[in-house]
């Protein structure tokens, strides 16, 4: 029998989650925060995408948020940005634009849930005058894509800067489009491509304001140059088998986020990334390995501007993932959460979808202990999921959490990914 105290605590947590109207208290608690970080416990779950979309739509319409920044490559996401803002030669259909995400695992952004959001953003922007909402990628993997974009663009707009871009491309050419080959080749070398990419970045920053062919050309040029600079560091670090590649990647995402905020004066941003990136690393076992993440860095740098972090969790259902790097995507069964995990505890208390709010006396007392919190990556094997639980102090890792008791797999556009390209979430799967 449930005791009176436990019933009181349970009733405190039961904020049902059925329709967008049930997000009212969450929107109120977000208040005037300029940074709202929305997580996901997998990259292949329908409900994580649809509820993040519902929150995003309300933040844009009610709180006037400026742009969405996601765990995706800059060049691909910038094409989406052009589409939703109806720039010249922006594309004709959301499905066609999203098929540009052909890097494994393509389903992360090439799915019907994102098609619906992109169409909503384009329609919203059509009536927004100059205050159009943006869509940008924060990730570091698009080294070659960014270099190709830079060379093509600069040849038309800035031939002198194009010389620096061409020099950087030639430095990487011997390694094809394989970052790990470049990284291994530089392990025992004193010379690498760093000088070339740094020169390129400095040249772009010096001249960015003159690139006005595209309404956001200066931003696009600088961000592609920044990707080239940080990807070069990332690939070299990736094969050293230390933790620095994770830190370089998340630092890059925060640097990109800060640049976007500088571009959007007095802007407000919604970030979509996996829980392992947006849930503050200081309250997980990541800190024991000297790792930080986006959530931690944003809190440390922007606490006075308002930061609100929303995690996601699911008890059981289905998910889209691959069994190894580059494998065909599969719809897989997600078994019931392990006994003793955070998800198992919530299911035992009440097997229903709901929102949990942290940072108040009752929740701080109730969740004041470390517990396993499930994280499913793009590589997933349900038969061996014991290692998918991240020890976490939940009341501090997030400000709120959406719990979905039963979830289903998202709906990919069924793109055949280019197996020769570096996976978007390599090597961690989040």
């Amino acid at each position: 029998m449930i005791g009176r105290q436990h019933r009181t605590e349970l009733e405190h947590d039961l904020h049902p989650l059925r329709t967008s109207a049930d997000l009212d208290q969450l929107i109120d608690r977000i208040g005037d925060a300029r940074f709202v970080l929305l997580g996901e416990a997998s990259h292949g779950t329908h409900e994580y995408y649809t509820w993040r979309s519902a929150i995003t739509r309300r933040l844009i319409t009610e709180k006037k948020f400026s742009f969405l920044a996601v765990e995706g490559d800059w060049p691909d996401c910038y094409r989406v940005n052009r589409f939703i803002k109806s720039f010249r030669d922006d594309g004709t259909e959301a499905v066609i634009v999203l098929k540009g995400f052909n890097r494994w695992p393509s389903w992360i952004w090439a799915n019907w849930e994102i098609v619906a959001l992109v169409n909503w953003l384009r329609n919203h922007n059509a009536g927004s005058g100059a205050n159009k909402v943006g869509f940008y990628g924060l990730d570091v993997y698009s080294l070659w894509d960014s270099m190709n974009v830079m060379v093509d663009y600069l040849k038309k707009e800035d031939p002198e800067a194009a010389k620096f871009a061409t020099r950087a491309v030639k430095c990487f050419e011997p390694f094809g489009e394989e970052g790990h080959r470049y990284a291994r080749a530089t392990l025992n070398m004193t010379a690498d491509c760093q000088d070339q990419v740094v020169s390129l970045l400095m040249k772009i920053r010096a001249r960015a304001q003159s690139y006005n062919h595209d309404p956001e050309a200066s931003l696009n040029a600088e961000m592609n140059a920044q990707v080239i600079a940080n990807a070069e560091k990332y690939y070299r670090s990736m094969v050293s088998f230390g933790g620095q590649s994770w830190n370089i990647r998340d630092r890059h995402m925060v640097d990109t986020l800060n640049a976007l905020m500088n571009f959007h004066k007095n802007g407000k941003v919604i970030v979509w990334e996996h829980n392992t990136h947006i849930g503050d690393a200081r309250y997980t076992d990541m800190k024991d390995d000297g790792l930080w993440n986006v959530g931690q860095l944003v809190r440390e740098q922007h606490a006075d501007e308002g930061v609100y972090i929303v995690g996601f969790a699911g008890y059981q259902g289905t998910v889209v993932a691959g069994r190894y790097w580059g494998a065909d995507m599969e719809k897989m069964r997600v078994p019931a959460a392990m006994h003793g995990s955070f998800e198992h505890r919530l299911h035992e208390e009440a097997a229903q979808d709901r929102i949990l709010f942290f940072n108040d006396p009752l929740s701080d007392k109730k969740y004041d202990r470390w517990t396993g919190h499930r994280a499913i990556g793009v590589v997933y094997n349900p038969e061996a999921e014991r290692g998918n639980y991240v020890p976490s102090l939940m009341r501090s890792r997030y400000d709120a959490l959406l719990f979905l008791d039963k979830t289903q797999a998202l709906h990919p556009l069924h793109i055949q990914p280019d197996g020769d390209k570096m996976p978007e979430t390599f090597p961690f799967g989040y």
Side-chain angles (χ1 to χ4, degrees):
M1 180 178 294
I2 300 177
R4 179 178 299 175
Q5 180 180 355
H6 187 74
R7 282 200 305 270
T8 301
E9 293 176 351
L10 182 57
E11 290 166 0
H12 176 267
D13 285 340
L14 282 179
H15 303 283
L17 193 58
R18 296 178 295 261
T19 71
S20 180
D22 295 324
L23 299 171
D24 285 354
Q25 189 171 348
L26 177 64
I27 302 301
D28 288 343
R29 291 199 180 208
I30 287 171
D32 296 325
R34 293 183 64 202
F35 296 80
V36 174
L37 282 56
L38 304 180
E40 59 180 347
S42 84
H43 282 307
T45 299
H46 168 78
E47 286 80 3
Y48 300 156
Y49 283 75
T50 54
W51 278 112
R52 287 190 301 183
S53 292
I55 296 168
T56 296
R57 291 194 300 269
R58 291 197 58 176
L59 290 176
I60 290 171
T61 55
E62 298 172 33
K63 300 283 188 176
K64 309 306 178 186
F65 271 70
S66 313
F67 63 96
L68 180 59
V70 306
E71 188 182 337
D73 287 345
W74 177 270
D76 293 334
C77 292
Y78 190 71
R79 285 193 291 271
V80 176
N81 180 64
R82 289 180 54 82
F83 176 76
I84 64 175
K85 292 180 177 178
S86 299
F87 287 174
R88 190 176 69 184
D89 302 323
D90 62 313
T92 57
E93 296 181 30
V95 171
I96 295 174
V97 174
L98 289 169
K99 283 185 176 180
F101 289 88
N102 62 356
R103 186 187 309 276
W104 194 93
S106 59
W107 66 84
I108 294 180
W109 301 112
N111 60 68
W112 288 104
E113 288 81 354
I114 293 297
V115 169
L117 176 62
V118 167
N119 281 328
W120 184 90
L121 289 168
R122 184 175 169 99
N123 290 334
H124 171 83
N125 282 340
S128 300
N131 299 316
K132 297 184 186 299
V133 176
F135 186 101
Y136 306 101
L138 299 177
D139 225 332
V140 74
Y141 291 115
S142 62
L143 173 60
W144 278 269
D145 290 342
S146 290
M147 287 196 295
N148 291 332
V149 168
M150 288 300 302
V151 171
D152 291 343
Y153 178 75
L154 292 175
K155 283 180 178 178
K156 300 175 183 177
E157 301 294 327
D158 191 341
E160 184 178 345
K163 296 177 183 178
F164 288 87
T166 301
R167 199 173 301 164
V169 171
K170 287 183 178 179
C171 177
F172 286 93
E173 274 181 351
F175 310 101
E177 292 199 7
E178 298 181 37
H180 57 283
R181 285 181 59 201
Y182 168 76
R184 292 194 185 101
T186 59
L187 281 177
N188 299 314
M189 296 169 60
T190 57
D192 53 44
C193 298
Q194 186 171 9
D195 290 342
Q196 283 77 11
V197 295
V198 169
S199 295
L200 171 62
L201 180 57
M202 292 176 64
K203 180 65 66 175
I204 293 302
R205 284 182 171 168
R207 297 180 176 228
Q209 295 305 316
S210 66
Y211 303 149
N212 56 15
H213 177 68
D214 184 303
E216 297 183 4
S218 61
L219 175 68
N220 189 33
E222 181 169 349
M223 291 301 96
N224 275 301
Q226 188 67 60
V227 167
I228 295 168
N230 285 339
E232 194 271 342
K233 298 176 188 175
Y234 175 83
Y235 288 138
R236 280 187 287 123
S237 176
M238 184 177 67
V239 296
S240 68
F241 300 104
Q244 285 306 303
S245 57
W246 175 278
N247 285 350
I248 289 170
R249 182 185 174 203
D250 275 47
R251 176 73 71 180
H252 168 82
M253 290 196 281
V254 173
D255 288 346
T256 303
L257 181 60
N258 289 337
L260 287 166
M261 289 295 275
N262 289 335
F263 183 81
H264 294 82
K265 303 299 182 184
N266 301 313
K268 300 167 74 173
V269 60
I270 305 161
V271 177
W272 282 29
E273 294 199 346
H274 197 281
N275 287 341
T276 50
H277 291 296
I278 64 96
D280 194 324
R282 293 172 295 182
Y283 305 102
T284 74
D285 62 347
M286 293 170 64
K287 68 173 184 176
D288 299 332
D289 295 321
L291 302 178
W292 58 62
N293 69 0
V294 170
Q296 174 184 340
L297 295 175
V298 172
R299 274 180 171 174
E300 290 175 343
Q301 296 176 16
H302 300 288
D304 59 338
E305 301 170 69
V307 178
Y308 201 91
I309 300 179
V310 182
F312 280 70
Y315 177 68
Q316 64 183 352
T318 56
V319 68
V320 171
R323 292 188 176 273
Y324 55 86
W325 290 111
D328 291 340
M329 54 183 150
E330 295 182 35
K331 181 179 177 180
M332 301 182 187
R333 183 183 67 88
V334 177
M338 289 178 54
H339 182 81
S341 67
F342 188 71
E343 290 80 1
H344 179 264
R345 176 181 179 182
L346 295 182
H347 173 78
E348 289 294 297
E349 289 179 346
Q352 67 180 79
D353 298 349
R354 60 192 188 272
I355 308 176
L356 282 74
F357 296 102
F358 303 124
N359 300 314
D360 62 49
L362 186 55
S363 68
D364 283 359
K365 178 181 178 182
K366 182 176 182 180
Y367 302 115
D368 192 22
R369 63 185 176 92
W370 289 72
T371 185
H373 174 32
R374 180 152 59 187
I376 295 175
V378 291
V379 172
Y380 180 54
N381 289 283
E383 302 82 8
E385 79 147 12
R386 179 171 293 274
N388 291 333
Y389 291 81
V390 180
S392 304
L393 185 60
M394 299 296 287
R395 67 172 177 82
S396 301
R397 187 175 178 184
Y398 307 110
D399 296 296
L401 181 135
L402 272 64
F403 173 69
L404 294 313
D405 192 66
K406 291 184 179 180
T407 58
Q408 61 177 312
L410 60 71
H411 303 87
L413 297 181
H414 300 295
I415 296 173
Q416 179 63 40
D418 185 342
D420 295 329
K421 291 189 175 182
M422 181 70 71
E424 281 192 7
T425 52
F426 185 88
F428 299 100
Y430 298 115

